[in-house]
């Protein structure tokens, strides 16, 4: 399939696990062990990358690429100066498409992908919110399966962010530093999340230059 306008185009297709060029050890993690997965390859201009999708969470929140993430990617491709050489923080990253583009195509100084997930895994807690495998999958996608280090490096790229806990928001900023720009797409699924989102944005914008 193709999406986009006259200035930017995204091509996508489903691919097999064997096409990723990853070893068996690189592919093996809690997500692949406990959840069904599929892989979609995306091409924005000269950059090709894939995203692993899964099936956890109420309404598949954060488990697959939504059209709004593709639209955000097309916008960033059209206007790369918005993020080039900047510290970028993404809210509601899901499976990470805009953050991946920022990291591999758009020349950001650094990128932090954030989202909410339950501290324990869904299959063990029985809750509706995605568990910690959500964050593991997001990191897997951002690294394109090449996990570069252990927890310290992962924390530099992916962090859990709870909009209802403002101390959590401040802690993320203290770890990452002041972002130059905050991005996000299709952030609110439930109306009761609007107020916490606005409170989070207020803190982030106060800290942005």
């Amino acid at each position: 399939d193709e999406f986009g306008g006259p200035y930017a185009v995204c091509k996508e297709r489903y691919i097999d696990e064997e096409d990723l060029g990853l070893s068996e050890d690189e592919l093996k993690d809690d997500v692949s062990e406990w959840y069904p997965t599929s892989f979609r390859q995306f091409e924005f201009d000269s950059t090709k990358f894939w995203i692993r999708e899964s099936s956890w969470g109420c309404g598949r929140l954060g488990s697959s690429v939504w059209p709004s993430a593709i639209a955000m990617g097309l916008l960033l491709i059209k206007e790369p100066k918005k993020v080039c050489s900047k510290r970028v923080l993404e809210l509601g990253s899901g499976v990470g498409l805009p953050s991946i583009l920022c990291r591999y195509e758009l020349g950001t100084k650094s990128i932090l992908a954030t989202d909410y997930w339950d501290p324990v895994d869904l299959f063990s807690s029985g809750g509706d919110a995605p568990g910690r495998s959500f964050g593991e999958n997001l990191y897997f996608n951002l690294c394109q399966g090449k996990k570069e280090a252990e927890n310290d490096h992962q924390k530099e790229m992916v962090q859990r962010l709870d909009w209802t806990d403002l101390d959590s928001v401040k802690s993320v900023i203290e770890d990452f530093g002041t972002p130059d720009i905050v991005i996000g797409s299709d952030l609110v699924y439930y109306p009761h999340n609007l107020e916490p989102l606005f409170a989070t944005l207020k803190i982030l914008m106060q800290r942005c230059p």
Side-chain angles (χ1 to χ4, degrees):
D1 295 329
E2 287 193 10
F3 303 88
Y7 305 110
V9 174
C10 168
K11 299 179 182 179
E12 65 151 299
R13 66 187 179 97
Y14 282 93
I15 59 175
D16 295 327
E17 191 176 272
E18 293 76 17
D19 297 327
L20 303 178
L22 299 177
S23 68
E24 185 175 338
D25 287 341
E26 288 170 328
L27 285 166
K28 187 177 180 181
D29 60 11
D30 287 344
V31 177
S32 62
E33 182 175 354
W34 289 96
Y35 302 99
T37 59
S38 60
F39 294 88
R40 287 165 70 183
Q41 184 183 74
F42 293 86
E43 182 177 353
F44 288 81
D45 284 358
S46 60
T47 297
K48 285 184 180 181
F49 59 88
W50 48 260
I51 286 179
R52 181 173 67 180
E53 299 180 312
S54 192
S55 61
W56 56 73
C58 176
R60 294 176 61 83
L61 297 181
S63 64
S64 59
V65 176
W66 286 27
S68 57
I70 296 174
M72 171 64 76
L74 291 168
L75 174 64
L76 294 174
I77 287 289
K78 287 182 180 181
E79 303 183 39
K81 290 183 179 179
K82 289 184 179 294
V83 295
C84 183
S85 301
K86 294 181 179 178
R87 299 176 61 81
V88 180
L89 186 148
E90 184 183 13
L91 297 175
S93 299
V95 290
L97 188 151
S99 288
I100 294 170
L101 265 179
C102 284
R103 185 171 193 227
Y104 293 101
E105 172 69 16
L106 299 174
T108 57
K109 182 178 181 180
S110 56
I111 175 72
L112 180 66
T114 70
D115 212 315
Y116 175 79
W117 58 85
D118 199 289
V120 295
D121 253 338
L122 177 62
F123 62 79
S124 62
S125 67
D128 288 332
R132 59 180 171 81
S133 290
F134 182 113
E136 185 174 356
N137 191 60
L138 178 55
Y139 179 61
F140 181 86
N141 286 334
L142 237 64
C143 290
Q144 293 291 277
K146 302 292 185 180
K147 300 177 183 178
E148 301 173 11
E150 296 302 324
N151 293 334
D152 287 345
H153 190 73
Q154 179 172 345
K155 193 175 182 181
E156 294 174 6
M157 299 171 58
V158 173
Q159 287 201 40
R160 175 179 176 271
L161 180 58
D162 183 354
W163 300 345
T164 66
D165 180 0
L166 298 187
D167 287 336
S168 166
V169 181
K170 294 174 183 177
S171 176
V172 166
I173 298 304
E174 288 170 1
D175 288 339
F176 178 65
T178 302
D180 299 309
I181 184 171
V182 178
I183 63 173
S185 58
D186 213 347
L187 293 176
V188 176
Y189 193 75
Y190 300 112
H192 67 263
N193 288 327
L194 277 170
E195 187 173 344
L197 171 59
F198 292 152
T200 296
L201 287 171
K202 183 177 181 180
I203 293 174
L204 296 177
M205 289 189 292
Q206 285 175 342
R207 290 171 175 263
C208 286

